Amino acid sequence: MKRYTLLSAAIVAMAPLVLLHGGTAPAPLDAAEPAEPRPNILVIVADDLGYSDLGAFGGEISTPNLDAIAAHGLKLTGFHAAPTCSPTRSMLLSGTDNHLAGVGNMAELLAPNQRGQRGYEGYLPGDIVSLADRLRDLDYATIMSGKWHLGTRAEDSPARHGFDQSFDLAQGGGNHYGLDLSKAPGDRGTTYWENGAQLSTLPAGFYSSDTYATKLIEFLGKADKTKPFFAYLTFTAPHWPLQAPDEDVARYRGKYDAGFEVLRTQRLARQKKLGLIPTNVAAHPLVLKPGADWASLTPEQKREQGRAMEIYAAMVDRMDQNVGRVIAHLKATGQYDNTIILFTADNGAEGLDVARAEIPGLSERVKAADNSFANLGKPTSYIGYGPGWAQAATAPSWLYKGHVTEGGTRVAAFIDWPGVTKSGVSGAFGTVMDVVPTLVEAAGGEWRGTSYAGRAVQPVRGQSWLPYLTGRAERVHAADELVGSELFGRRAIRQGDWKAVNLGDGWKLFDVARDPGETRDLAGRNPKRVAALTAAWDAYGKQVGVIMPSTPVAFP
């Protein structure tokens, strides 16, 4: 039975506020009654996972371990990330907007006018306090394994941002078998670090998902058992290049031969059956280049695209297997019943056409790879799966990764909290900025304020989920709260159920409660609301220091 209840967390979190407002300290607990143990915390992040990839969110891929956690906890169907990975990670670990957390744009894709500017450093600047720092200061053992993507210098590593033990990929992605490991300073390979030291070799039998789980389990074994732990497990699966062990790929042979449009229809039907979306939802139409629909593809193109999706599914499957290994370890050590588990993807599904992308370094890797059909998915191949499969995963939403639409930012997420009274499905709006305040409160700490350890810091902009999860609040974010976003010059702002979006072709307005697919532009009927929201976005942009890019973006 899980012992640490949400009520206990609420009492602990409220205690410091009593003193701040001039009240008296609460009477000490009866000596005969031991204090409730503080919860362990496990945050799991998947990379480029599609919204409906998991079984719990309507997918056909085998994900029993993640599905079991989601079924026991609360599925968050209104949870949002940034449109791409590093901005999301900066927000998740800082609790504030990515422009304030040093990742106003991906470091790899900075426009000329953004380089060297405040908010575009590509790493967490000195006025940011990470979640790991906060929890370590609350006497947590802090552990990280997987993708970092918040700077490649030694001073940017997880070891410098609050993690006692860490094994990390510094860059945004790489060969899942480690074949592109940097061999010399200045080359364009990937770099892995362990406890702040760059590695010259990787563990034997390296495969990203396997090794990340193995390292996390190893670090958990070494952690101080007198302390609760915070573990941050960040997979690079299923980010391209699509690569997976043969035995996993084999289980999906022929499963996607009918194409992405059929898969999209099937997943939408399962989402409705699971109560994740309304039965009358209008899904946004597929957005594809002329001749890219399934019926227009040649038999060879269909064969290759079907294989790409098989490999992708195998990567998701393998990730789930490794989550299962971590959960089995926690159960074997008696730690599972007192562990909060939060799972989220870092953005919408990846719709990039990797074979034709004009991103520095990517085209060279694709050309150097062996992408013959028989070699697809193996360590020396380098492919993605494209916009058709991505939109099968993001439906009913509009578009995919790289866009501020719902398809780019609404992600599969769930939380399993010891003693939680809420379960099933919640459509409450939330963002990855909410992770810091929620988990710091769970640990009994205070997250508000503009100073920390004697220095000025960026205040947390997210909101704690604790009042909502304990039934003391009906929402996480107030109905009139404004939440802005920007990436690659694409802009959005949300207030309650209203969302204004500008992808470079003017502002559109959507009621995302009634139209989650963003299919009906209501801007023409509501000019005053559009004017108010666009003015609010302008104020947001000035507040967080948005620098609109001077050159077109490379993302689709």
Side-chain angles (χ1 to χ4, degrees):
M1 178 180 179
K2 294 195 172 185
R3 299 165 293 163
Y4 187 86
T5 67
L6 282 170
L7 181 59
S8 302
I11 292 170
V12 172
M14 288 166 60
L17 297 181
V18 174
L19 299 178
L20 284 172
H21 287 85
T24 58
L29 294 172
D30 190 313
E33 297 180 7
E36 292 271 14
R38 290 182 298 161
N40 302 308
I41 297 169
L42 172 61
V43 174
I44 305 171
V45 181
D47 197 356
D48 289 359
L49 184 79
Y51 182 80
S52 63
D53 285 341
L54 304 183
F57 282 77
E60 72 297 326
I61 302 171
S62 177
T63 54
N65 297 293
L66 287 166
D67 293 347
I69 302 169
H72 191 266
L74 183 66
K75 292 187 278 292
L76 309 176
T77 61
F79 199 69
H80 291 73
T84 63
C85 35
S86 54
T88 289
R89 289 157 209 275
S90 73
M91 294 164 70
L92 187 154
L93 287 174
S94 70
T96 193
D97 188 274
N98 57 295
H99 299 85
L100 297 172
V103 193
N105 192 357
M106 298 179 71
E108 303 90 336
L109 297 173
L110 288 172
N113 65 322
Q114 295 171 337
R115 294 189 184 111
Q117 299 299 312
R118 171 66 183 94
Y120 293 81
E121 294 90 345
Y123 55 82
L124 300 177
D127 59 354
I128 291 296
V129 186
S130 78
L131 176 59
D133 277 321
R134 293 178 185 272
L135 292 176
R136 185 165 68 177
D137 289 346
L138 291 169
D139 206 30
Y140 269 66
T142 53
I143 297 164
M144 186 257 177
S145 182
K147 174 174 170 173
W148 180 240
H149 205 188
L150 292 173
T152 58
R153 307 171 304 173
E155 56 264 41
D156 303 325
S157 76
R160 305 295 190 272
H161 287 285
F163 287 99
D164 300 327
Q165 302 181 79
S166 56
F167 176 90
D168 67 285
L169 167 65
Q171 288 80 15
N175 187 288
H176 290 277
Y177 291 90
L179 299 190
D180 55 359
L181 181 68
S182 175
K183 301 297 192 297
D187 71 21
R188 301 194 68 166
T190 55
T191 53
Y192 287 82
W193 301 70
E194 185 160 359
N195 297 327
Q198 187 175 341
L199 300 177
S200 58
T201 60
L202 292 172
F206 179 89
Y207 178 71
S208 64
S209 296
D210 296 353
T211 302
Y212 298 159
T214 296
K215 280 292 181 181
L216 192 82
I217 292 168
E218 175 189 321
F219 292 156
L220 286 167
K222 293 178 179 178
D224 186 343
K225 299 301 186 294
T226 67
K227 300 179 178 182
F229 68 76
F230 163 50
Y232 182 49
L233 176 59
T234 58
F235 291 99
T236 43
H239 191 293
W240 49 262
L242 302 185
Q243 297 165 333
D246 291 341
E247 64 268 25
D248 295 311
V249 179
R251 287 196 292 277
Y252 295 92
R253 284 285 187 264
K255 198 169 187 70
Y256 301 103
D257 289 354
F260 43 76
E261 290 150 338
V262 169
L263 181 65
R264 191 174 197 255
T265 299
Q266 293 171 340
R267 288 195 177 181
L268 281 167
R270 281 193 290 268
Q271 288 182 63
K272 293 176 183 179
K273 186 176 181 180
L274 290 169
L276 300 171
I277 57 175
T279 56
N280 62 346
V281 70
H284 199 284
L286 279 167
V287 179
L288 297 169
K289 293 179 179 179
D293 60 291
W294 191 259
S296 299
L297 301 181
T298 67
E300 183 61 24
Q301 288 172 325
K302 291 178 180 179
R303 181 170 173 247
E304 291 175 353
Q305 289 214 15
R307 178 57 50 86
M309 185 60 201
E310 292 167 8
I311 300 162
Y312 177 92
M315 294 176 73
V316 176
D317 185 323
R318 189 75 171 207
M319 177 183 68
D320 181 79
Q321 294 173 46
N322 280 290
V323 169
R325 292 175 57 216
V326 173
I327 298 303
H329 172 81
L330 295 179
K331 290 181 176 179
T333 56
Q335 296 171 297
Y336 175 77
D337 283 345
N338 196 38
T339 300
I340 296 170
I341 302 174
L342 171 66
F343 174 89
T344 183
D346 63 347
N347 44 246
E350 173 64 275
L352 183 69
D353 185 349
V354 171
R356 296 170 179 81
E358 297 297 328
I359 295 178
L362 177 57
S363 58
E364 293 88 343
R365 291 180 180 179
V366 172
K367 291 175 183 177
D370 176 2
N371 288 332
S372 60
F373 185 80
N375 198 57
L376 294 180
K378 298 188 186 307
T380 53
S381 66
Y382 211 101
I383 62 167
Y385 76 166
W389 298 116
Q391 290 176 87
T394 60
S397 299
W398 181 23
L399 293 172
Y400 38 77
K401 177 182 175 180
H403 296 275
V404 293
T405 58
E406 293 293 281
T409 60
R410 190 174 71 112
V411 294
F414 48 86
I415 188 166
D416 184 16
W417 194 317
V420 70
T421 55
K422 286 185 181 290
S423 60
V425 179
S426 169
F429 172 75
T431 88
V432 288
M433 292 186 289
D434 301 336
V435 173
V436 165
T438 301
L439 297 182
V440 169
E441 276 196 15
E446 176 55 58
W447 50 271
R448 298 167 183 85
T450 57
S451 64
Y452 190 90
R455 74 182 197 273
V457 298
Q458 292 293 336
V460 169
R461 293 171 71 93
Q463 300 294 331
S464 172
W465 280 69
L466 197 60
Y468 176 78
L469 294 174
T470 54
R472 293 183 289 116
E474 294 183 0
R475 314 173 64 102
V476 178
H477 293 263
D480 60 350
E481 182 178 345
L482 291 154
V483 181
S485 61
E486 180 275 336
L487 193 64
F488 308 139
R490 299 161 183 168
R491 294 169 282 169
I493 190 161
R494 178 162 175 162
Q495 185 177 41
D497 294 332
W498 291 98
K499 181 179 178 183
V501 176
N502 189 333
L503 301 183
D505 55 353
W507 286 97
K508 295 177 174 61
L509 179 69
F510 303 100
D511 179 346
V512 289
R514 293 182 174 84
D515 180 25
E518 294 170 312
T519 64
R520 298 186 296 275
D521 177 13
L522 303 177
R525 303 182 197 174
N526 297 271
K528 290 183 179 179
R529 189 178 296 276
V530 173
L533 287 175
T534 55
W537 190 94
D538 290 341
Y540 154 81
K542 291 177 182 178
Q543 185 181 61
V544 302
V546 171
I547 300 173
M548 294 290 282
S550 57
T551 54
V553 298
F555 249 80

